[in-house]
Amino acid sequence: MMPKITVFNQDGNEQSLSARAGDPLMETLRDEGLVEGTCGGAASCGTCHIYLRDNWSEKCGERTEDEGYMLEGLEEHVEVKDVSRLACQIIVNDEMDGISLDIAPQI
């Protein structure tokens, strides 16, 4: 199964993507040119910052400690919300079919 993801970009345009279970969400978004993923998934750059929609936070797991620190560092530059995540720290699974998210402003 390839979970379907609905992504809203900076302009509010909606795009439907398929993601491979077991891969970091960032890879799907990066491959579509929606995020940079500069650090390659180490939670150290913030270029894959997203906002989860519709209570998807529970199905995406808890923030890692490193992710929390990186998001704190982003607060000086962009809005960080309760639903903010780094896509590199979310591993796609079948339960995420139908997930929707917004690409956060980039610094």
Side-chain angles (χ1 to χ4, degrees):
M1 176 179 180
M2 298 270 293
K4 300 288 184 209
I5 300 168
T6 302
V7 180
F8 295 87
N9 68 16
Q10 293 292 307
D11 299 325
N13 295 322
E14 181 178 338
Q15 187 173 352
S16 182
L17 307 174
S18 294
R20 232 182 352 256
D23 285 353
L25 178 58
M26 178 271 295
E27 291 180 5
T28 299
L29 300 176
R30 182 196 59 208
D31 292 349
E32 289 294 322
L34 296 167
V35 300
E36 289 182 34
T38 305
C39 70
S44 63
C45 70
T47 61
C48 66
H49 180 202
I50 60 170
Y51 302 127
L52 296 171
R53 287 186 169 203
D54 304 323
N55 299 318
W56 280 102
S57 295
E58 293 176 17
K59 293 194 178 187
C60 292
E62 296 290 321
R63 287 181 185 166
T64 65
E65 186 175 1
D66 288 342
E67 181 180 9
Y69 290 136
M70 186 70 243
L71 289 170
E72 283 178 23
L74 291 176
E75 286 180 319
E76 297 176 25
H77 308 285
V78 297
E79 182 180 8
V80 174
K81 304 178 182 182
D82 289 342
V83 294
S84 286
R85 292 295 305 269
L86 299 180
C88 67
Q89 300 301 297
I90 299 173
I91 304 301
V92 176
N93 64 58
D94 292 339
E95 289 183 16
M96 292 171 61
D97 187 47
I99 189 174
S100 59
L101 58 92
D102 293 280
I103 303 297
Q106 300 295 300
I107 56 172

